[in-house]
Amino acid sequence: MCTAAVMPGANRPVELQRFSAPELEPGGVLLETVFSEVCGTDVHLSHGRLAGVPYPIIPGHVSVGRVVDVRGEPHDVDGRPVRVGAMVTFLDVVGTCNACWFCLVAKMPNRCPSRRVYGVTYSANEGLYGGWSQLIYLKPGVSILELPATLTPERVIAGGCALPTAIHAVDTARIRLGDRVLVQGAGPVGLSAAVLALLSGAGAVYIVERHEVRLAMAREFGVDEAIRLDSSGSNGHVERVLALTEGRGVDVTIEATGVPEAVKDGIHMTRDGGRYVIVGHYTDHGEVGINPHTEINRKHLEIRGVWGVDFSHFHRMLRILDRHGAKVAGGRGWEHMVSRTYGLDEVNQALSDVETGRIVKGLIRPTAP
Amino acid sequence: MCTAAVMPGANRPVELQRFSAPELEPGGVLLETVFSEVCGTDVHLSHGRLAGVPYPIIPGHVSVGRVVDVRGEPHDVDGRPVRVGAMVTFLDVVGTCNACWFCLVAKMPNRCPSRRVYGVTYSANEGLYGGWSQLIYLKPGVSILELPATLTPERVIAGGCALPTAIHAVDTARIRLGDRVLVQGAGPVGLSAAVLALLSGAGAVYIVERHEVRLAMAREFGVDEAIRLDSSGSNGHVERVLALTEGRGVDVTIEATGVPEAVKDGIHMTRDGGRYVIVGHYTDHGEVGINPHTEINRKHLEIRGVWGVDFSHFHRMLRILDRHGAKVAGGRGWEHMVSRTYGLDEVNQALSDVETGRIVKGLIRPTAP
Amino acid sequence: MCTAAVMPGANRPVELQRFSAPELEPGGVLLETVFSEVCGTDVHLSHGRLAGVPYPIIPGHVSVGRVVDVRGEPHDVDGRPVRVGAMVTFLDVVGTCNACWFCLVAKMPNRCPSRRVYGVTYSANEGLYGGWSQLIYLKPGVSILELPATLTPERVIAGGCALPTAIHAVDTARIRLGDRVLVQGAGPVGLSAAVLALLSGAGAVYIVERHEVRLAMAREFGVDEAIRLDSSGSNGHVERVLALTEGRGVDVTIEATGVPEAVKDGIHMTRDGGRYVIVGHYTDHGEVGINPHTEINRKHLEIRGVWGVDFSHFHRMLRILDRHGAKVAGGRGWEHMVSRTYGLDEVNQALSDVETGRIVKGLIRPTAP
Amino acid sequence: MCTAAVMPGANRPVELQRFSAPELEPGGVLLETVFSEVCGTDVHLSHGRLAGVPYPIIPGHVSVGRVVDVRGEPHDVDGRPVRVGAMVTFLDVVGTCNACWFCLVAKMPNRCPSRRVYGVTYSANEGLYGGWSQLIYLKPGVSILELPATLTPERVIAGGCALPTAIHAVDTARIRLGDRVLVQGAGPVGLSAAVLALLSGAGAVYIVERHEVRLAMAREFGVDEAIRLDSSGSNGHVERVLALTEGRGVDVTIEATGVPEAVKDGIHMTRDGGRYVIVGHYTDHGEVGINPHTEINRKHLEIRGVWGVDFSHFHRMLRILDRHGAKVAGGRGWEHMVSRTYGLDEVNQALSDVETGRIVKGLIRPTAP
């Protein structure tokens, strides 16, 4: 038996429930959860903003755990066996079919209709498919990665679901050495993107954000300038970015806010011939007015939407954390992005703290006493 | 002495004036105009919709002419001398500085602030710098191309200013063999883009347009389906394109309308992971509401603005016309795109015909009796 | 019971054997073979030039057949059921694991070590996994495509294994409208690449080849010039290509010969800053001397190796054949590439004809009376 | 009057000569040289290995100097005037025509036949067009960059001609966060490329080199492993790189040796589907045997030659040095790459020291007492 936090439906508080440990299928793996996390998507889930979610669910998509049981001979991507006792993480997406038009022709497994997502599209009635639980059942075929001895669970979960997403965005942005980069929004995805831009040798990295706690953390992670969003209508933040870039705007902007108006703003702060990457709009917050002449055609602009991740981003997350994770934030390490760790009985508080911007990133430790 | 058509200012009729032939500088070339054209930009100029135009001007940017005088030893891009009697065309842009940030660092000579445009940013008071004139003065440094013997002036001017722009758009769209392509708008740029998509081996080419005369011409040029724009609000054209593409939308859409709402429409008709190229917005017609979640981020869409051309596109125009220009439109040739040819005394009529969509493409023949 | 042609080992004649029809697994499909083909790889197989081939084998990788039995509910890539009576083709590669480093991280399923290839890496002792057989067993998971009503089996098998490979090469070559393209070798892959280059709107397509029968066919398919390989040491073919391109060389060269010296030759015929794609070296024919200074560095050259195909290329083959297959070769259609069709009892003759260059492409019709 | 070091011809010692200060043309600038450098190209020049060099020449292509005279109103790329007293550097290439096929169609100004190179293709009889001189004459049109106050002449010349070349190579290599990178050769270009790879967030950077002094310096600049070239034929360095990369090879290799055999070696150390960039072959050292099957086609490899630089690389050099130049080599700064500074009377020693690998990078200080 184990305890899990269950989100019963939209706008209803999360409750603790007891579950039996699952019967493992051949190739299945059972984890004792060490850390899961609470992210912006969890807030959206708590308000019913995503379509097709089979409530009740156990939230928590990216997690780190210790293997407590295996059946058969599951292997990782490098062909090494997954053994009891190993500390692992796993891609939260399962069931990519490798047989449909999205998987095989468009080569967008991130849009495969068969894929299911731990913590989002599995019902709690189906089993332990979310990280806000003392046990997680990894079905056969889940892509598992064992943590190298040099990486702690804390550092990996600090990367969490935001870091692979940010890797995908930064790859798409094609930052070159010396490029000036603007990130809009200093939540986990935006902050991760800003740190990755710094690690990519950007000439300068600016961040625009409205919450003070996030601006402060962006500074601690070394951005060149953390600019408070001016929502007075006078657009002081836009003027500041233009002043920092000879009036031209930055070479690359990465949007990570989810606020439609940010797209219009961000385009103004990007130079002619620059690149604008939208990675923050995972839910629908409506439209923004865009002028195709002044904002796209005459600017000769490239705009790219980035949806989700595939396993390659997740795989590179570990390599990037192993390489760079210790030195960021002035040596405090990637785990400095974590504001607070919550027990299973505190998840409602965690959701509220993320929603109001009181924290940057919150962890869930299901086995906390 | 020669006659030229002069646009005196916004919303004032074009008038004929007499000019003296210019004194040639070393490297300068004088052309007797064989054909110039009237395009959508000329309509915008006649209404004062472009900023910074030094009225009075002689309109007419792309032209074909016969060399009647040279001074010094001007050469073409392959180092061959430009001789009296040769039939030539020239890139309408002059003065790209090759010394500024746009030219040297951003590598966007199409945005160089020093560049000036024949027929647009030269005043008639400065000289014969437009094609609606019996003579055109090519300043030293203008990029000149001699027509190969296999290309008639009619075929080259039928490409005109629209074809290099369409080449730039189609290059940016990266059409692959078998891709399904949608073009929005069947004016000269849209129609040229559609023909280029056909020539690129597209799997299907659809065009959406509101004027019947243009739909008919698109069919004559061989598009798979010319779809009438449904402006009733029921969006029949969107439904039709989705029905033609298993509900997914096309792989590539090229926007060539200048209508902001077309951008929203066009994105709906483009598949997830597709490419959307905006080349029609050369003037400001306001904003359109875009939903960053449903229309960019979740679609994993690539959007590209394409501004102007450089000499490489103009150079390839001749090669493309020479290769493919005879066989298009069922063997009627690229010149089938021309609806009517006007004398200098008919240019006001030509502007009106373009504006109201009564014609697809109109030529100006300044030496007509 | 059915008859199949079995290659018992290296340098031993192919023999006919009788096999029982297989027991279908759930998701399995049984085909009655309409056409298979004989290609250069089959010649290499007959001489034991590929490593790890589990002789005896039933050769024949790409095939077209009619469904005579199904078990369970196999579906195609668009989710449509595969039904008895349907005319289908299938990707010859099966078992791509979608779980290893090649599949998930490098995104090169064409290099997945788990993949097996019909007609190459299955033993005849395992079952009917090759096209030189009256029946072919499609294991669960094989990617099946139903032929549209507009495509005949003859036209599809004329594309065969060469066309998807050529699609991959031409995609990699990034041919633009007006580019001049050279193809080295007019076997099925080279000839397919040349036709695809023509369909892509190339400015000119040249082919260099030593066999007259192939040069003649290249001309029938419309290449601008089919140049006989000058193996006298005086390199007349190189001089000819340079003469056709102002001494600069072509924009793009696609190598499809398998002869190491062709690589050196081909680089000389490619312009500075051009692209050179190697797709012809599927077996080891030794080294060629390359000068990194004159042939790569100073030329600012891009060289790309292209290995195999994935399902996207196979999927696009049908779309390309459906679109363009009827009009090529002056309206004779893609099937004009077929020189001769052989019965199962003539496969040794077929292998000999391919090896000696007497034919361009040979089909196998296993059900021939 | 001023003193310059003149290379009279191949294999003859450099001699000091006295020159008159030039008469400035409008737009011309006169520099008092602060630093120039001696690089591998200068060694090649001293042996007559480059074609078309108009001996006698004043060597020294990249230099830093103080403006001592201007005529007219020369401006930098951002439109700011060049004033007496300013500390500047300049792109060593002048006369790119912006009118030929290379400049306008192929967009390879790095291959423009009109371009001339300071220190290489100007004769000493024409004037002060090399950095091994107390004065340098910058002709009108030379692209000049003023050093920001935060950059010392020492740091900029430590970048010198190698750093823009390395920027071009690293751009072409498209290093992504976490990629493992191998650099072959630890001369100034290779060492610069290795440092740029580190700054780009590579997952690991390895260098292979034969000189101990360069291996030691590579370690001081922080490469993960500096591997001694094993020229015994047992290829210990290849085995070491494969052992570091699970037997697969690195994601990206940059060749900076000029030794043909290094290309073969380097390909073996690069993974399937990886990228191989050749930037070290600026002179002809003959051929190497390459197997197109095993080394290019089956590896699905991308090989790119990188020739020279354009102004954009030079412009970014200053931004990169300003951003990252202080922190490299454990805080010793980019100038740590300089092994020794020579006076004009020591240039023959400098050439010998570079040729024998006794130093990594040598400076020339023409105004040394």
Side-chain angles (χ1 to χ4, degrees):
Chain A
M1 295 292 288
C2 73
T3 301
V6 174
M7 193 177 276
N11 299 311
R12 293 171 51 192
V14 178
E15 302 159 359
L16 298 189
Q17 293 186 12
R18 296 286 288 167
F19 289 81
S20 306
E23 196 70 27
L24 271 59
E25 302 153 277
V29 171
L30 191 66
L31 296 189
E32 182 186 63
T33 314
V34 175
F35 286 114
S36 189
E37 58 174 347
V38 52
C39 83
T41 298
D42 299 312
V43 174
H44 295 313
L45 286 168
S46 75
H47 292 302
R49 289 194 199 117
L50 276 71
V53 176
Y55 298 102
I57 61 167
I58 303 172
H61 27 138
V62 174
S63 307
V64 178
R66 187 176 298 279
V67 176
V68 292
D69 198 7
V70 302
R71 182 153 170 234
E73 297 191 336
H75 286 72
D76 75 2
V77 77
D78 286 314
R80 290 173 301 216
V82 174
R83 298 184 203 279
V84 169
M87 187 69 72
V88 303
T89 185
F90 60 99
L91 183 67
D92 58 341
V93 170
V94 68
T96 303
C97 74
N98 203 27
C100 73
W101 180 85
F102 278 106
C103 283
L104 290 183
V105 182
K107 294 181 186 168
M108 301 173 68
N110 52 336
R111 299 285 284 118
C112 170
S114 300
R115 77 202 302 240
R116 298 185 69 183
V117 184
Y118 273 70
V120 180
T121 67
Y122 277 104
S123 167
N125 300 329
E126 296 178 87
L128 297 167
Y129 298 118
W132 297 5
S133 166
Q134 291 170 336
L135 295 175
I136 309 175
Y137 175 44
L138 304 187
K139 293 173 71 72
V142 169
S143 294
I144 298 172
L145 284 170
E146 186 169 342
L147 271 55
T150 45
L151 271 183
T152 63
E154 285 82 357
R155 185 162 291 166
V156 172
I157 198 68
C161 70
L163 182 49
T165 304
I167 292 170
H168 194 181
V170 165
D171 280 359
T172 303
R174 304 192 310 278
I175 297 170
R176 297 182 314 167
L177 283 163
D179 274 354
R180 291 184 289 202
V181 178
L182 170 67
V183 177
Q184 296 178 278
V189 171
L191 198 50
S192 297
V195 175
L196 293 176
L198 288 166
L199 292 172
S200 301
V205 178
Y206 312 120
I207 211 160
V208 170
E209 162 66 52
R210 66 193 164 101
H211 291 297
E212 263 309 324
V213 60
R214 293 179 167 191
L215 287 165
M217 188 166 282
R219 288 184 197 104
E220 288 166 13
F221 271 90
V223 301
D224 291 77
E225 193 159 326
I227 302 166
R228 192 183 180 92
L229 179 74
D230 176 357
S231 51
S232 71
S234 60
N235 274 336
H237 57 288
V238 175
E239 283 165 29
R240 180 61 190 149
V241 170
L242 294 178
L244 286 163
T245 53
E246 301 99 49
R248 287 193 189 109
V250 296
D251 300 292
V252 170
T253 298
I254 296 173
E255 183 280 335
T257 67
V259 179
E261 286 69 29
V263 173
K264 187 179 186 64
D265 246 23
I267 288 174
H268 280 299
M269 295 185 274
T270 308
R271 74 163 170 90
D272 286 9
R275 297 182 291 291
Y276 189 79
V277 174
I278 298 179
V279 66
H281 277 78
Y282 275 79
T283 47
D284 187 347
H285 290 277
E287 295 188 344
V288 59
I290 297 289
N291 184 314
H293 168 62
T294 55
E295 294 166 3
I296 304 180
N297 201 4
R298 198 179 61 186
K299 279 189 94 87
H300 204 80
L301 195 67
E302 175 179 343
I303 300 175
R304 298 287 295 265
V306 172
W307 186 256
V309 302
D310 62 38
F311 181 75
S312 74
H313 305 103
F314 199 71
H315 185 264
R316 281 168 62 213
M317 171 174 76
L318 286 200
R319 192 181 279 185
I320 291 169
L321 283 175
D322 203 20
R323 174 69 170 188
H324 305 292
K327 73 184 180 205
V328 296
R332 281 167 288 197
W334 212 282
E335 55 272 30
H336 185 61
M337 214 172 283
V338 175
S339 303
R340 187 175 156 189
T341 299
Y342 302 83
L344 276 188
D345 54 348
E346 299 171 299
V347 294
N348 288 304
Q349 180 63 43
L351 286 167
S352 163
D353 288 349
V354 168
E355 184 164 14
T356 55
R358 276 193 295 270
I359 64 172
V360 177
K361 188 180 179 92
L363 301 190
I364 306 295
R365 184 170 8 211
T367 52
Chain B
M1 295 293 289
C2 72
T3 301
V6 175
M7 193 177 275
N11 298 312
R12 293 170 51 192
V14 177
E15 302 158 358
L16 298 190
Q17 293 186 13
R18 296 285 288 167
F19 289 83
S20 307
E23 195 72 26
L24 271 59
E25 302 153 278
V29 171
L30 191 66
L31 296 190
E32 182 187 62
T33 312
V34 176
F35 286 115
S36 189
E37 59 173 347
V38 53
C39 83
T41 298
D42 298 312
V43 173
H44 295 314
L45 287 167
S46 75
H47 292 302
R49 289 194 198 114
L50 275 71
V53 176
Y55 298 101
I57 61 167
I58 303 172
H61 27 137
V62 174
S63 307
V64 177
R66 188 175 299 280
V67 176
V68 291
D69 198 7
V70 301
R71 182 152 173 235
E73 300 190 334
H75 287 73
D76 75 1
V77 76
D78 286 312
R80 291 173 300 216
V82 175
R83 297 184 204 278
V84 170
M87 186 68 72
V88 304
T89 185
F90 59 97
L91 184 67
D92 58 341
V93 170
V94 69
T96 304
C97 73
N98 203 28
C100 73
W101 181 87
F102 279 105
C103 283
L104 291 182
V105 181
K107 295 180 185 169
M108 301 173 70
N110 52 336
R111 299 287 284 119
C112 170
S114 300
R115 76 201 304 239
R116 298 185 69 182
V117 184
Y118 271 71
V120 181
T121 66
Y122 278 104
S123 169
N125 300 328
E126 296 176 88
L128 296 168
Y129 299 118
W132 297 7
S133 167
Q134 291 171 335
L135 295 176
I136 309 175
Y137 175 45
L138 304 186
K139 294 172 69 73
V142 169
S143 295
I144 298 172
L145 285 170
E146 185 169 343
L147 270 53
T150 44
L151 271 183
T152 62
E154 286 82 357
R155 186 163 290 163
V156 172
I157 197 68
C161 70
L163 182 49
T165 303
I167 293 170
H168 194 180
V170 166
D171 280 359
T172 303
R174 304 193 308 279
I175 296 171
R176 297 182 315 168
L177 283 164
D179 275 353
R180 291 186 289 204
V181 178
L182 170 67
V183 178
Q184 298 179 277
V189 171
L191 198 50
S192 297
V195 176
L196 293 177
L198 289 166
L199 292 172
S200 301
V205 178
Y206 312 121
I207 210 159
V208 170
E209 163 64 53
R210 66 194 163 99
H211 291 297
E212 263 309 323
V213 60
R214 295 180 166 190
L215 288 165
M217 189 167 282
R219 287 184 198 104
E220 288 166 15
F221 272 90
V223 301
D224 290 80
E225 195 159 326
I227 303 165
R228 193 183 178 88
L229 180 74
D230 176 357
S231 52
S232 71
S234 60
N235 274 336
H237 58 288
V238 175
E239 283 165 30
R240 179 61 190 149
V241 170
L242 294 178
L244 286 164
T245 53
E246 303 98 49
R248 285 192 191 111
V250 297
D251 300 292
V252 171
T253 298
I254 296 174
E255 184 281 334
T257 66
V259 179
E261 287 68 29
V263 173
K264 187 180 186 64
D265 247 22
I267 288 175
H268 280 298
M269 294 185 275
T270 309
R271 74 164 170 87
D272 286 8
R275 296 181 291 291
Y276 189 80
V277 174
I278 298 178
V279 67
H281 277 78
Y282 275 78
T283 47
D284 188 347
H285 289 278
E287 296 188 341
V288 59
I290 297 289
N291 184 312
H293 167 63
T294 55
E295 294 166 3
I296 305 180
N297 202 3
R298 197 179 61 187
K299 279 189 95 85
H300 203 82
L301 196 67
E302 175 179 342
I303 300 174
R304 298 287 295 266
V306 171
W307 185 255
V309 303
D310 62 38
F311 182 74
S312 73
H313 306 103
F314 199 71
H315 185 264
R316 281 168 61 211
M317 172 176 73
L318 286 200
R319 192 180 279 184
I320 290 169
L321 283 175
D322 203 19
R323 174 70 170 186
H324 305 292
K327 73 184 181 207
V328 297
R332 282 166 286 197
W334 212 282
E335 54 273 30
H336 184 62
M337 215 174 280
V338 175
S339 304
R340 188 176 157 190
T341 299
Y342 302 83
L344 276 188
D345 54 349
E346 300 171 299
V347 294
N348 289 304
Q349 179 64 41
L351 286 168
S352 163
D353 287 349
V354 169
E355 184 164 13
T356 56
R358 276 193 296 270
I359 63 171
V360 177
K361 188 179 180 94
L363 301 190
I364 306 295
R365 182 167 12 208
T367 53
Chain C
M1 294 292 289
C2 73
T3 301
V6 174
M7 192 178 275
N11 299 312
R12 293 170 51 191
V14 177
E15 302 158 358
L16 298 190
Q17 293 186 13
R18 296 285 288 166
F19 288 83
S20 307
E23 195 71 27
L24 272 59
E25 302 153 278
V29 171
L30 191 66
L31 296 189
E32 182 186 63
T33 313
V34 175
F35 286 115
S36 189
E37 59 174 349
V38 52
C39 83
T41 298
D42 298 312
V43 174
H44 295 313
L45 286 168
S46 75
H47 292 301
R49 289 195 198 114
L50 275 72
V53 175
Y55 298 101
I57 61 167
I58 303 173
H61 28 138
V62 174
S63 307
V64 177
R66 188 176 298 280
V67 176
V68 292
D69 198 7
V70 301
R71 181 153 172 236
E73 299 190 334
H75 286 72
D76 75 1
V77 77
D78 286 313
R80 291 173 301 217
V82 175
R83 297 185 204 278
V84 170
M87 188 69 72
V88 303
T89 185
F90 60 97
L91 183 67
D92 59 340
V93 170
V94 69
T96 303
C97 74
N98 203 27
C100 73
W101 181 86
F102 277 105
C103 283
L104 291 182
V105 181
K107 294 180 186 169
M108 301 172 69
N110 52 336
R111 299 287 283 119
C112 170
S114 300
R115 78 201 301 240
R116 298 186 69 183
V117 184
Y118 272 71
V120 180
T121 66
Y122 277 105
S123 168
N125 300 328
E126 296 176 88
L128 296 168
Y129 299 118
W132 297 6
S133 166
Q134 292 172 335
L135 295 175
I136 309 175
Y137 176 45
L138 304 187
K139 294 173 70 72
V142 169
S143 295
I144 298 172
L145 284 170
E146 186 170 343
L147 271 55
T150 45
L151 271 182
T152 62
E154 285 82 357
R155 185 162 291 163
V156 172
I157 197 68
C161 70
L163 181 50
T165 304
I167 293 170
H168 194 181
V170 166
D171 280 359
T172 303
R174 305 193 309 278
I175 297 170
R176 297 181 316 167
L177 284 163
D179 274 353
R180 291 186 289 203
V181 177
L182 170 67
V183 178
Q184 298 178 278
V189 171
L191 198 50
S192 297
V195 175
L196 294 176
L198 288 166
L199 292 172
S200 300
V205 178
Y206 312 121
I207 210 160
V208 170
E209 163 65 53
R210 65 193 164 102
H211 291 297
E212 263 308 325
V213 60
R214 294 179 168 192
L215 287 165
M217 188 166 282
R219 287 183 197 105
E220 288 166 13
F221 272 90
V223 301
D224 291 78
E225 194 160 324
I227 302 165
R228 192 183 178 90
L229 179 74
D230 176 357
S231 51
S232 72
S234 60
N235 273 337
H237 57 288
V238 176
E239 283 165 31
R240 180 63 189 147
V241 171
L242 294 178
L244 286 163
T245 54
E246 302 98 50
R248 286 193 189 109
V250 297
D251 300 292
V252 170
T253 299
I254 296 173
E255 184 281 334
T257 66
V259 179
E261 286 69 29
V263 173
K264 186 180 186 64
D265 246 21
I267 289 175
H268 280 299
M269 294 186 275
T270 309
R271 75 164 170 87
D272 287 9
R275 297 182 289 293
Y276 189 80
V277 174
I278 298 179
V279 67
H281 278 78
Y282 275 79
T283 47
D284 188 348
H285 289 277
E287 296 188 344
V288 59
I290 297 290
N291 183 313
H293 168 62
T294 55
E295 293 166 2
I296 304 180
N297 202 4
R298 197 179 62 186
K299 278 189 96 85
H300 203 81
L301 195 66
E302 175 179 342
I303 301 174
R304 298 287 295 265
V306 171
W307 185 255
V309 303
D310 63 38
F311 182 75
S312 73
H313 306 102
F314 198 72
H315 185 264
R316 281 168 62 213
M317 172 175 75
L318 286 200
R319 192 180 280 185
I320 290 169
L321 284 175
D322 203 19
R323 174 70 170 187
H324 304 293
K327 73 184 180 207
V328 297
R332 282 167 288 197
W334 212 282
E335 55 273 30
H336 184 62
M337 214 173 281
V338 175
S339 304
R340 187 175 157 190
T341 299
Y342 302 83
L344 275 189
D345 53 349
E346 300 171 298
V347 294
N348 288 304
Q349 180 64 41
L351 286 168
S352 164
D353 288 349
V354 168
E355 184 164 13
T356 56
R358 275 193 296 271
I359 64 171
V360 177
K361 188 178 180 93
L363 300 190
I364 306 295
R365 184 170 8 210
T367 52
Chain D
M1 295 293 289
C2 74
T3 301
V6 175
M7 193 177 276
N11 299 311
R12 293 170 51 192
V14 177
E15 302 158 0
L16 297 190
Q17 293 186 12
R18 296 285 288 168
F19 288 82
S20 307
E23 196 71 25
L24 271 59
E25 302 153 278
V29 171
L30 190 66
L31 296 190
E32 182 187 63
T33 313
V34 176
F35 285 115
S36 190
E37 58 173 347
V38 52
C39 83
T41 298
D42 298 312
V43 173
H44 295 314
L45 286 167
S46 75
H47 292 302
R49 287 193 200 116
L50 276 72
V53 176
Y55 298 101
I57 62 167
I58 303 172
H61 28 137
V62 174
S63 307
V64 177
R66 188 176 299 279
V67 176
V68 292
D69 198 6
V70 302
R71 184 155 169 233
E73 297 191 335
H75 285 73
D76 74 2
V77 77
D78 286 314
R80 290 172 301 215
V82 174
R83 298 184 203 279
V84 170
M87 187 69 72
V88 304
T89 186
F90 59 98
L91 183 67
D92 58 341
V93 170
V94 69
T96 303
C97 74
N98 203 28
C100 72
W101 180 86
F102 279 106
C103 282
L104 291 183
V105 182
K107 294 179 185 169
M108 300 173 69
N110 52 336
R111 300 285 284 119
C112 171
S114 301
R115 76 201 303 242
R116 299 186 68 183
V117 184
Y118 272 71
V120 180
T121 66
Y122 278 105
S123 167
N125 300 328
E126 296 177 88
L128 297 167
Y129 298 119
W132 297 7
S133 166
Q134 290 171 337
L135 295 176
I136 309 175
Y137 175 45
L138 304 186
K139 293 173 71 71
V142 169
S143 294
I144 298 172
L145 285 170
E146 185 169 343
L147 272 53
T150 44
L151 272 183
T152 63
E154 286 82 355
R155 186 163 291 165
V156 172
I157 198 67
C161 70
L163 181 49
T165 304
I167 292 170
H168 194 180
V170 166
D171 279 0
T172 303
R174 304 193 309 278
I175 296 171
R176 297 182 315 168
L177 283 163
D179 274 353
R180 291 185 287 203
V181 178
L182 170 67
V183 178
Q184 297 178 277
V189 171
L191 198 50
S192 297
V195 175
L196 293 177
L198 288 166
L199 292 172
S200 300
V205 178
Y206 311 120
I207 210 160
V208 170
E209 162 65 53
R210 67 193 163 99
H211 291 297
E212 263 309 324
V213 60
R214 294 179 167 192
L215 287 165
M217 188 166 283
R219 287 184 197 104
E220 289 165 14
F221 271 90
V223 301
D224 291 79
E225 194 159 326
I227 302 166
R228 193 183 179 91
L229 179 74
D230 176 357
S231 50
S232 71
S234 61
N235 274 336
H237 57 288
V238 175
E239 283 165 30
R240 180 61 190 151
V241 170
L242 293 178
L244 286 163
T245 54
E246 302 98 49
R248 287 192 190 110
V250 297
D251 300 292
V252 171
T253 297
I254 297 173
E255 183 280 335
T257 67
V259 179
E261 287 69 29
V263 173
K264 188 179 185 64
D265 246 22
I267 288 175
H268 280 299
M269 294 185 275
T270 308
R271 74 163 170 88
D272 285 10
R275 296 182 291 290
Y276 190 78
V277 174
I278 298 179
V279 67
H281 277 78
Y282 275 79
T283 46
D284 188 347
H285 290 278
E287 296 188 343
V288 59
I290 297 289
N291 184 313
H293 168 62
T294 55
E295 293 166 3
I296 304 180
N297 201 3
R298 198 179 61 187
K299 278 189 95 86
H300 203 81
L301 195 67
E302 175 180 343
I303 301 176
R304 298 287 295 266
V306 172
W307 186 255
V309 303
D310 63 37
F311 182 74
S312 73
H313 306 103
F314 199 70
H315 186 264
R316 282 168 61 212
M317 171 175 75
L318 287 199
R319 192 181 278 184
I320 290 170
L321 284 175
D322 204 19
R323 175 68 170 188
H324 304 292
K327 73 183 181 207
V328 297
R332 282 166 287 196
W334 212 282
E335 55 273 31
H336 184 61
M337 213 173 282
V338 175
S339 302
R340 188 175 156 190
T341 300
Y342 302 82
L344 276 187
D345 53 349
E346 301 171 299
V347 294
N348 288 305
Q349 179 64 42
L351 286 167
S352 162
D353 288 349
V354 168
E355 185 164 13
T356 56
R358 276 194 296 271
I359 64 171
V360 176
K361 187 180 180 91
L363 301 190
I364 306 295
R365 183 168 11 209
T367 52

